[in-house]
Amino acid sequence: MISFVTKVGPGSSGTRLQDAAEPGEIHETTTVSEQLLERTCAWCGEPVAYSGRGRPPRYCSPVHRRRAWEVRTAPARAERPVSEGGKTREPIREVIERTETVVRTVVRPATAPSLTQLRPARRLSGQPYTLPEDAVEWIEALAALRREVTNPKVHPFREHIARACEKTLQALRADVPEPADNGD
């Protein structure tokens, strides 16, 4: 708070208020008070409100106060020994591990595999594997396959089996001339 005292009137040639007042003199006291309402952040320049209580804030947030402190104290902290958290004078070294993986794929011309290449030498039971020999055996084998599609061992291969069945169905429905009967 700033106070100004002014003596106004006749004989106001610089006498003080403490001096005896003469009749007819007018004493005027002007009081000017200033209150800080807002200041700008010392880090970013944004306005910071002040409530009027306590020390006025210098920063708009604790983050900006911390950044200002880091900038202010960085040279002193860097001069400390490394054991006390200071900066090392050694050049920075990096160890990098590089792994290269090369995948080579050989594409071979497609050839129709023979039945002996497609079928295993033995069944899972250990019995020798044989193909059905006539239409009745083929129908029974396909019925057994139909019952086995829910088997967990078959499940991962269902799509492959379905494609093979579709190709077989196309071949069965294709126009193939009937074999000539040699038994005249």
Side-chain angles (χ1 to χ4, degrees), residues 162-178:
R163 280 195 218 118
C165 288
E166 286 172 2
K167 288 180 182 178
T168 304
L169 184 60
Q170 288 173 356
L172 287 171
R173 290 190 173 151
D175 289 333
V176 178
E178 292 185 26

Side-chain angles (χ1 to χ4, degrees), residues 39-43 48 57-62 64-65 68-69 72:
R39 68 169 26 162
T40 57
C41 175
W43 182 258
V48 180
R58 293 182 58 202
Y59 303 98
C60 64
S61 69
H64 287 182
R65 182 177 64 244
W69 176 83
R72 217 176 27 252

Side-chain angles (χ1 to χ4, degrees), residues 33-72:
S33 64
E34 293 179 348
Q35 182 178 358
L36 177 66
L37 299 177
E38 182 180 280
R39 68 169 26 162
T40 57
C41 175
W43 182 258
C44 69
E46 291 293 317
V48 180
Y50 175 56
S51 65
R53 296 177 52 191
R55 182 185 301 180
R58 293 182 58 202
Y59 303 98
C60 64
S61 69
V63 173
H64 287 182
R65 182 177 64 244
R66 175 77 179 174
R67 286 181 183 169
W69 176 83
E70 287 173 351
V71 168
R72 217 176 27 252

Side-chain angles (χ1 to χ4, degrees), residues 44-147:
C44 69
E46 291 293 317
V48 180
Y50 175 56
S51 65
R53 296 177 52 191
R55 182 185 301 180
R58 293 182 58 202
Y59 303 98
C60 64
S61 69
V63 173
H64 287 182
R65 182 177 64 244
R66 175 77 179 174
R67 286 181 183 169
W69 176 83
E70 287 173 351
V71 168
R72 217 176 27 252
T73 61
R77 285 183 289 122
E79 294 302 318
R80 293 186 297 199
V82 176
S83 61
E84 295 176 18
K87 187 170 77 173
T88 181
R89 307 247 187 266
E90 297 285 324
I92 296 173
R93 294 186 182 100
E94 294 178 334
V95 177
I96 298 172
E97 178 179 321
R98 177 176 291 149
T99 304
E100 288 187 25
T101 304
V102 178
V103 177
R104 289 189 180 90
T105 305
V106 177
V107 179
R108 295 196 173 113
T111 58
S114 67
L115 289 177
T116 56
Q117 292 174 328
L118 290 178
R119 64 183 161 154
R122 298 203 172 272
R123 295 180 189 268
L124 295 176
S125 63
Q127 298 294 323
Y129 184 83
T130 57
L131 288 173
E133 293 180 1
D134 60 12
V136 174
E137 287 183 8
W138 275 108
I139 292 169
E140 289 173 1
L142 290 171
L145 175 64
R146 193 172 47 248
R147 288 189 300 272

